[in-house]
Every structure is written in structure tokens, then in C-alpha cells.
Amino acid sequence: MRTVTRVIHDCDPGHDDAIALLLGLASPELDLLGASTVAGNQSLELTTSNAIRVLDHVGRADLPVCAGAARPLVREPVTNVSGHGESGLDGPDLPPPSRSPEPVHAVDWLGRAISDGVGPVTLVATGPLTNVALLLARYPEVERQLERVVVMGGAIGEGNVTPAAEFNIWADPEAAARVFESGLDITMVGLDVTYRALMTPAHADELRGDGRAGRLVADLYEFYSRVHRRRFGRNGAPVHDAVAMAHVIDPTLLDTQLCGVKIDTGPELSRGRTNVDRWGRLDWRPNCHVAVEIDAARFLDLLVRRIARL
Ligand code: BDR
Ligand code: CA
């Protein structure tokens, strides 16, 4: 009998968050319980309405969306307008959201959903880790109850906001430090693997002819790939957050290595760096399964096939 994984998507849509959400919806291996939103790529108001707009587009107004933290734990709020535009989801022409988020703070909703006794929950976190850190403070029992947290964030190597840091960790390093220091089962899906699986114009063309979800992803890709071409000179765009979702659908897409990881919360130069003791040179507790390899062709094939049939 196939087992279905109960998943909550904590996100800040964001183009790749939106694609990850659609991939989760399209996958029978997952029972997607809902989405919690966090400020990151844009303000909380915008990331929340973007999550709802994406769900509206594919007729899933039934899926709960709960708004969480409007700012990082300690730092001043940042956004990623250059990466995702003024709306946080520039490109496609989506109407305003059909509804408001649920009348409950995301952290309380997460606490209840994780401990509802129905079964274990996997959290796929694809924005800054503020909601997850707050969840641990308000509902410490979830450390025992959560099955695992799959984080899109960090890098063994180079960052994308600074040479040292990736956006999600850099935006709220204190929250990331709290989460990585907890006893949770954490998987880090970082830039080392996401940049090795670029979506190309050919993938987008294929999706454009494939119904509502396919057209939306093609439009999202068009904007996102322009940004990546300008910024990094690449002919293709990573779909970072979708890699984290895909790993839950099919764990064999990534190779991971259990390592000690510490987050740099220092003031500037290396703020937000995920220091990964890959070769065990230091006496750090192994606290994280770090993605080290990706089967890019299989990931992209899964993404395109699943979105096409949504
Ligand atoms: C991460 O930052 C955001 O811009 C993306 O949505 C992704 O979660 C990549 O660094
Ligand atoms: Ca994101």
C-alpha cells in the first residue's frame, strides 16, 4: 500500500514558492493540508494574497491559507523585489484573491494541525524560518510531533544575496539558528543542488500548451528567468522551492549527507551563512541532512509532468 505524506507548506510566494505549491497539489504521494505564509520575498500581506491567488487559479479555494509572521525575529524586514517584482509574483495576470486568510495566526494553526493526532506532518519551509522558530517557542511539543522539516535555504558553497548567504537564511538568521539548533529532523535543500536543475525555455514551452496550471508556471518562469539571465547570466532559472517539495514526493531525487550545520548570525559579512561541516572536521552534532547531489533530469521531468496534469 502506498503511504501518503501529510504536508504543510510554509512559504512566501514568490515564483518558485508558487510552483512548489502547485507541484504539491499535483502529487498523489502528498496530502497537502494547507499553506502558512511568512514575510520574505514580499510583505506578509502580499505573500498571503499570492498564495490564495495561486490556489484560486487551480480551483483550490478549499485549502486553508494562514498568515504568519509579518517580520523577522530580530532584523529589520527585507523583501526581494528585484527577484520577484513589486507584487512578489510579477508576470502572470492573476485576479485579486477570492478570500481572506483563515482567521487564525499561522503559528497557532500549525501547532494544532501538527498535534491533531491524525498522523505525522512534514513541514516544507520555503521562506524565511520565522514561523517555524515561533512555532517552536509557542508549541515546544512539536519538536517531538513533527515528522521532519524540509527547508529550502542555505548553501554549502556560494550564497545568492551575499557571497556567504542564501536569501531565506539571510532574511532571518536568528530564526534559522533556532530551527537548526532544535532537535528536529531537518533536511537542507540549498543552492548547491537547486542551481544544478535549471528550468529552460523548452520546459516552459511544453507547459504553456498544458492547461491552466501549465500556463501559469510558464508565465511565472518567463519573469523569473529574465531576472536570472540579468543577474547571473544564465539561460534558465532554478525553481529552488520546488526542489524541496519534490524531495518529499520522491526522496531519491536528492542525495543527502548528515552533517553538523551552524548558522552565522553575525552582524554583516557572513550573516546568514550556513556553515556545513561536511567532512566532520569539527566536533559539531550532526543536525541536518544536507542535499549534496540532484538528479536534475528526473526532477525537471517530474515537475513538468505533474504540473501538466493538474
Ligand atoms: C529562495 O529565496 C527566494 O527568493 C525564493 O523564493 C527561494 O525560496 C532562494 O534563495
Ligand atoms: Ca521562497
Side-chain angles (χ1 to χ4, degrees):
M1 201 181 73
R2 189 176 64 203
T3 54
V4 174
T5 307
R6 300 173 82 223
V7 167
I8 295 177
H9 188 192
D10 188 66
C11 55
D12 63 336
H15 295 67
D16 52 337
D17 300 83
I19 298 172
L21 184 58
L22 294 169
L23 176 61
L25 286 174
S27 296
E29 297 85 351
L30 309 187
D31 176 10
L32 193 61
L33 307 182
S36 49
T37 53
V38 65
N41 283 325
Q42 251 302 350
S43 66
L44 179 68
E45 204 185 332
L46 287 174
T47 59
T48 305
S49 62
N50 288 344
I52 297 172
R53 292 161 77 213
V54 169
L55 291 172
D56 285 348
H57 185 79
V58 291
R60 291 303 306 267
D62 58 303
L63 207 75
V65 174
C66 301
R71 52 161 299 146
L73 294 187
V74 178
R75 310 286 173 145
E76 287 308 310
V78 287
T79 55
N80 191 358
V81 173
S82 64
H84 299 270
E86 289 296 337
S87 70
L89 209 56
D90 277 13
D93 193 14
L94 291 173
S98 63
R99 56 181 165 133
S100 303
E102 303 296 309
V104 54
H105 193 282
V107 170
D108 294 319
W109 178 71
L110 285 165
R112 277 179 228 155
I114 291 162
S115 55
D116 67 3
V118 175
V121 170
T122 292
L123 194 55
V124 179
T126 64
L129 289 166
T130 324
N131 284 345
V132 189
L134 290 172
L135 175 69
L136 295 175
R138 177 135 168 76
Y139 298 98
E141 62 276 15
V142 302
E143 281 192 31
R144 278 179 289 105
Q145 295 162 337
L146 253 182
E147 178 151 58
R148 61 192 293 229
V149 184
V150 178
V151 173
M152 190 284 128
I156 303 170
E158 205 183 339
N160 60 356
V161 180
T162 70
E166 178 280 331
F167 177 78
N168 289 337
I169 308 294
W170 177 85
D172 195 346
E174 285 75 18
R178 172 67 185 93
V179 173
F180 277 73
E181 279 159 22
S182 70
L184 287 169
D185 181 331
I186 301 170
T187 301
M188 174 180 128
V189 178
L191 302 178
D192 321 280
V193 289
T194 63
Y195 271 117
R196 274 188 238 148
L198 302 188
M199 194 173 152
T200 64
H203 295 118
D205 287 348
E206 199 176 330
L207 282 168
R208 194 168 290 288
D210 271 332
R212 285 177 76 71
R215 275 197 303 282
L216 174 58
V217 170
D219 287 347
L220 288 166
Y221 170 81
E222 219 170 284
F223 178 90
Y224 206 44
S225 60
R226 265 204 308 275
V227 170
H228 281 269
R229 197 169 306 124
R230 237 185 358 252
R231 198 184 287 170
F232 301 111
R234 290 194 163 104
N235 187 29
V239 256
H240 308 285
D241 297 341
V243 179
M245 189 65 81
H247 169 64
V248 182
I249 296 164
D250 179 354
T252 68
L253 293 172
L254 297 178
D255 290 345
T256 60
Q257 192 179 328
L258 183 62
C259 306
V261 178
K262 286 187 196 269
I263 310 297
D264 198 323
T265 54
E268 270 319 315
L269 254 192
S270 59
R271 155 192 176 176
R273 172 155 191 78
T274 44
N275 293 285
V276 178
D277 182 23
R278 186 160 176 200
W279 308 115
R281 304 296 304 278
L282 303 162
D283 206 12
W284 294 355
R285 176 177 69 85
N287 59 341
C288 182
H289 301 274
V290 179
V292 292
E293 293 290 346
I294 182 166
D295 188 334
R298 242 173 6 99
F299 159 69
L300 289 160
D301 184 57
L302 175 93
L303 182 69
V304 170
R305 272 189 298 109
R306 293 289 167 94
I307 299 288
R309 73 172 192 220
L310 185 62

